[in-house]
Amino acid sequence: MRKKILVTGGAGFIGSHLCKKLLEENNEVLCLDNYFTGSKMNILPLLDNPMFELIRHDIVNPYIAEVDEIYNLACPASPIHYQHNPIQTVKISVMGAINMLETAKATGAKILQASTSEVYGDPKIHPQVESYWGNVNPIGERSCYDEGKRCAETLFMDYHRQSQLKIKIIRIFNTYGPNMHPNDGRVVSNFIVQCLRNEDITIYGDGNQSRSFQYVDDLIEGMTKMMATPNEFIGPVNIGNPTEFTILELAQAVINLTNSKSKLIFKRLPMDDPQQRRPDISLAKDKLNWTPKIELEEGLKKTIEYFDILLKKNN
Ligand code: NAD
Ligand code: UDP
């Protein structure tokens, strides 16, 4: 049956892929965004679809619509963007969550929160399991995002316990793919853009810190599967690719795939930059029957192709 679905942050990197998939599944999609880090270009191919509706709105302010499901994605996700106006980041995470939970309460919609592996901070348990409470600095430069997202999880759980809302929480690990902004600032898009332009590759710190990179299509599959699980399963559940790489290994992979002449340069490691990150995805395998399918090389090739076309167009 066709559903009416609200996607906040729908013009962003992940949101645009989600809107596309939900439309392909014959749903009606309301895409809500204030274009802080997203772009109309990401959703341009969807605008012709009569089942797609675009709303310019800041989720720090209330918004009510009669919908069946809400995916709450609105929030800058790249450290340079969420640290640009940290007070606003807290407001988006916390007030935005309250506003969307109130919408769910008013309409009876099921609501999914796009939480993050950042709730684990600089983790002392490796790989990270959902039962781990994390190691987060509450007063650092990353705290606006980490603590904002942790508080949003608290709000989701409290609305569930206090008002019986149908909620879902996913913790997304580093995700990459087409529709990332070339100036997004996150590592995969930075390295690809630098390699394609034969510019220096910026390694923060010594490059021995690790991340596990998930291609966006895998995330969208996990996210929509989570929304479709019975109401009793609320999460939080990790959605990520458990294959772990150091940042130096990632740089080398991008150099190889682009045949770039770029050289590595080393810059200051940002404050509280997590040393390691890898999801334990046993829960997602068990409850969602989900595992990521696209390994780094294949995903990087698709993403490089996207940026190659984009950069040539912009030149
Ligand atoms: P993104 O920056 O590309 O997308 C965020 C979108 O939200 C943008 O379109 C932006 O304009 C919009 N937005 C920001 N503030 C808003 C506001 N106040 N009102 C309305 N819209 C607003 O980032 P993304 O990578 O697509 O991330 C989407 C979500 O997934 C975020 O909530 C992020 O925290 C979460 N997440 C992403 C990753 C990742 O690796 N990409 C990892 C963990 C969690
Ligand atoms: N990073 C880097 N060079 C860059 C951008 C990021 O070395 O140009 C590092 C960053 O310090 C971190 C890792 O890559 O250790 C992942 O950074 P990103 O901002 O993509 O995500 P997050 O730190 O939120 O996981």
Side-chain angles (χ1 to χ4, degrees):
M1 207 187 65
R2 170 174 290 161
K3 283 176 283 192
K4 210 167 173 184
I5 304 176
L6 176 65
V7 179
T8 77
F13 156 51
I14 295 172
S16 57
H17 288 273
L18 179 64
C19 289
K20 180 168 176 277
K21 162 100 186 268
L22 296 173
L23 287 170
E24 282 165 2
E25 289 176 348
N26 214 20
N27 296 298
E28 195 174 332
V29 174
L30 277 73
C31 167
L32 187 153
D33 208 293
N34 69 348
Y35 309 110
F36 176 41
T37 51
S39 157
K40 280 190 184 158
M41 293 309 289
N42 286 340
I43 40 167
L44 202 58
L46 311 181
L47 291 177
D48 284 342
N49 190 325
M51 290 298 128
F52 184 70
E53 199 174 325
L54 192 55
I55 304 140
R56 180 189 282 265
H57 181 80
D58 185 331
I59 61 157
V60 169
N61 302 310
Y63 176 84
I64 299 279
E66 280 289 340
V67 289
D68 303 302
E69 292 176 354
I70 303 170
Y71 287 86
N72 187 36
L73 271 62
C75 185
S78 161
I80 55 165
H81 293 299
Y82 69 64
Q83 288 170 25
H84 169 72
N85 185 343
I87 297 169
Q88 192 62 17
T89 300
V90 176
K91 283 188 185 169
I92 294 167
S93 303
V94 177
M95 292 161 72
I98 292 174
N99 286 331
M100 287 306 126
L101 286 159
E102 286 294 331
T103 306
K105 193 175 164 186
T107 63
K110 200 192 301 185
I111 180 165
L112 179 144
Q113 168 68 356
S115 191
T116 166
S117 51
E118 283 285 321
V119 300
Y120 301 120
D122 190 5
K124 301 282 179 228
I125 298 238
H126 195 70
Q128 290 78 57
V129 281
E130 289 86 351
S131 54
Y132 177 48
W133 290 354
N135 176 40
V136 175
N137 176 359
I139 55 169
E141 288 165 10
R142 293 176 88 96
S143 313
C144 58
Y145 183 74
D146 297 9
E147 296 291 16
K149 288 284 190 177
R150 285 168 67 95
C151 184
E153 286 199 11
T154 308
L155 284 162
F156 268 67
M157 292 304 297
D158 286 338
Y159 270 80
H160 173 69
R161 282 185 287 248
Q162 199 174 324
S163 305
Q164 291 75 48
L165 250 61
K166 290 172 257 171
I167 64 151
K168 306 272 176 191
I169 301 172
I170 59 168
R171 291 182 178 154
I172 303 170
F173 283 65
N174 296 65
T175 305
Y176 68 97
N179 293 4
M180 291 185 91
H181 197 281
N183 298 330
D184 179 88
R186 279 175 282 185
V187 69
V188 176
S189 48
N190 267 10
F191 286 3
I192 292 177
V193 170
Q194 288 162 348
C195 278
L196 290 174
R197 291 180 171 152
N198 289 310
E199 291 171 355
D200 289 338
I201 298 179
T202 50
I203 307 279
Y204 302 161
D206 62 10
N208 286 316
Q209 70 272 36
S210 73
R211 294 291 186 275
S212 308
F213 299 102
Q214 158 173 250
Y215 188 67
V216 64
D217 289 1
D218 283 329
L219 166 63
I220 300 299
E221 203 206 331
M223 195 183 258
T224 49
K225 276 192 159 185
M226 177 60 175
M227 187 61 113
T229 51
N231 289 344
E232 301 74 60
F233 183 59
I234 59 175
V237 60
N238 291 336
I239 305 285
N241 188 318
T243 317
E244 186 178 355
F245 296 88
T246 65
I247 296 306
L248 284 174
E249 287 169 335
L250 174 72
Q252 199 52 57
V254 179
I255 292 173
N256 294 346
L257 291 170
T258 51
N259 286 319
S260 179
K261 298 186 190 67
S262 295
K263 298 271 173 295
L264 307 184
I265 56 162
F266 292 84
K267 296 203 158 188
R268 186 185 65 86
L269 187 70
M271 182 184 188
D272 296 330
D273 198 283
Q275 191 52 39
Q276 54 181 2
R277 182 179 292 154
R278 171 154 60 101
D280 180 315
I281 58 165
S282 317
L283 188 64
K285 280 184 181 161
D286 179 33
K287 296 284 186 184
L288 314 180
N289 191 23
W290 171 90
T291 44
K293 297 187 190 78
I294 301 171
E295 287 310 336
L296 188 67
E297 185 171 328
E298 187 189 348
L300 282 180
K301 280 183 185 162
K302 291 172 195 262
T303 314
I304 289 166
E305 197 186 323
Y306 167 80
F307 277 109
D308 197 25
I309 295 169
L310 186 79
L311 297 183
K312 280 179 183 145
K313 234 191 271 176
N314 291 351
N315 272 340

